[in-house]
Amino acid sequence: MFSWLFPKKETSREEQESVSQSENFRDISKVADFFKTLSGVTFDKQLSILESKTKSFCRQRDIYSYEELLEKITRDETLKQELINHLTTNETFFYREFKQIAELVSLVQEQSSPVSILCAPCATGEESYSIAIALLEAGVPPTRFHITGIDINSRAIEKAKIASYRERNVKNLLGDVLYKYFDKNEDRYDLKESVKNLVAFKVMNIFDHEFTMLGKFDYIFSRNMLIYFDLPTKQKAKKILESMRKDPSKEIFFGHADLF
Ligand SMILES: C[S@@+](CC[C@H](N)C(=O)[O-])C[C@H]1O[C@@H](n2cnc3c(N)ncnc32)[C@H](O)[C@@H]1O
């Protein structure tokens, strides 16, 4: 009754229809192929997740089809980086799979010369900083090691450089370690500059030529990235990482879930 009194409602429905008519999101597999070629990350078994993530990305930017997105991305590096940031998963925390970090500490302690350590990928920095803290806790002086952390996600790298963490990310650290290396700032734990200075972070894709130009490392951590790749891509990534070892007899530290 009296519906003629509410013309606004009708208009907004019309507007909605015209928006959805102008959208033309059809073949998500083109985006999946593009993203796999670019980053190695496969959504082959999760196309519906990719679809909803990509649609929300496009709608925020007034892009109305996957074709338009792909066409814009080839011309716009910033947009490409934003899509990478939107589609990669950066879940990580301090002292994750600590046994491997403890193993690295023992290996470093056996050596007298300085060591270089690569974390590829490092996400928001927790793994690289965990290694630094564990080495310091074992009495290894900061002059004896240098850590490089790389990740394809530029937002994650920005967060790694800031190094201000939530409680859930530091939950594995014991109280004395936490208060020795962090300043508590309301609900955040801010890593001290002296530890931040021990890690160099860079935005990098492991499949880009510039990655191998980083040189060779004594120890390489590559944990919980290969889980996002299909088998041929895992093998390709493993080969690249292996080519970056100073000593080819040294095993790379992969995550337990990365197993081939
Ligand atoms: C789950 S995190 C793992 C972080 C940390 N290594 C750990 O185990 O806690 C996976 C990371 O891999 C990164 N990644 C995915 N593909 C990549 C690529 N081709 N090159 C570099 N980093 C990549 C993502 O951006 C994400 O931050």
Side-chain angles (χ1 to χ4, degrees):
M1 202 160 66
F2 301 127
S3 60
W4 53 272
L5 281 173
F6 306 100
K8 207 169 167 225
K9 209 169 183 184
E10 286 301 311
T11 317
S12 89
R13 197 179 298 136
E14 272 170 31
E15 271 171 9
Q16 272 178 11
E17 275 167 14
S18 88
V19 167
S20 60
Q21 272 165 17
S22 60
E23 284 184 352
N24 190 8
F25 293 114
R26 271 183 303 178
D27 190 4
I28 191 65
S29 66
K30 283 184 188 152
V31 179
D33 290 348
F34 171 83
F35 200 64
K36 185 153 89 178
T37 309
L38 174 70
S39 69
V41 174
T42 178
F43 282 92
D44 288 353
K45 291 185 183 134
Q46 296 175 306
L47 284 179
S48 57
I49 294 178
L50 177 65
E51 200 161 14
S52 85
K53 283 187 160 190
T54 310
K55 273 186 189 167
S56 75
F57 180 87
C58 289
R59 284 176 180 146
Q60 284 158 18
R61 291 163 181 80
D62 292 335
I63 295 173
Y64 298 106
S65 71
Y66 297 135
E67 286 75 15
E68 186 186 347
L69 172 69
L70 294 175
E71 189 267 322
K72 284 198 162 135
I73 272 177
T74 53
R75 288 184 283 111
D76 185 341
E77 281 298 314
T78 308
L79 187 70
K80 187 161 98 180
Q81 186 63 58
E82 282 171 8
L83 185 70
I84 291 170
N85 294 354
H86 190 74
L87 293 181
T88 45
T89 308
N90 314 120
E91 173 60 22
T92 182
F93 47 90
F94 278 87
Y95 278 21
R96 185 179 199 177
E97 296 185 54
F98 184 75
K99 255 178 98 175
Q100 291 181 320
I101 296 177
E103 197 184 324
L104 171 78
V105 170
S106 305
L107 291 167
V108 174
Q109 281 177 317
E110 285 165 17
Q111 259 175 265
S112 55
S113 50
V115 296
S116 54
I117 300 160
L118 173 67
C119 290
C122 64
T124 40
E126 287 88 326
E127 182 179 86
S128 317
Y129 291 135
S130 295
I131 292 172
I133 290 172
L135 286 167
L136 294 174
E137 281 297 285
V140 179
T143 47
R144 286 267 322 280
F145 62 92
H146 188 266
I147 304 169
T148 304
I150 70 98
D151 201 283
I152 197 171
N153 184 313
S154 63
R155 208 172 44 214
I157 291 293
E158 273 166 35
K159 287 185 183 170
K161 287 180 180 168
I162 294 167
S164 175
Y165 296 101
R166 289 179 199 282
E167 181 125 29
R168 67 184 163 88
N169 292 76
V170 298
K171 66 182 187 305
N172 283 351
L173 299 176
L174 292 175
D176 54 342
V177 172
L178 197 55
Y179 290 104
K180 193 163 158 191
Y181 298 104
F182 293 80
D183 294 315
K184 181 107 199 292
N185 205 342
E186 294 180 359
D187 62 337
R188 316 281 307 186
Y189 292 85
D190 298 341
L191 191 64
K192 294 201 164 146
E193 287 298 318
S194 55
V195 187
K196 284 168 73 174
N197 291 339
L198 300 174
V199 185
F201 289 106
K202 291 187 175 73
V203 181
M204 243 175 219
N205 179 347
I206 63 149
F207 298 110
D208 284 351
H209 177 62
E210 63 163 348
F211 176 61
T212 52
M213 300 304 285
L214 282 176
K216 294 193 191 276
F217 292 82
D218 294 295
Y219 299 103
I220 299 178
F221 271 61
S222 182
R223 305 192 303 172
N224 303 302
M225 171 179 68
L226 300 192
I227 42 170
Y228 299 101
F229 297 172
D230 64 12
L231 187 60
T233 315
K234 277 184 202 220
Q235 286 164 340
K236 187 174 160 195
K238 188 168 177 254
K239 247 192 176 154
I240 293 169
L241 292 160
E242 284 173 347
S243 75
M244 295 174 72
R245 292 174 297 181
K246 273 188 197 164
D247 174 355
S249 72
K250 286 212 176 96
E251 292 290 329
I252 292 175
F253 291 90
F254 289 111
H256 294 119
D258 295 320
L259 293 175
F260 291 77

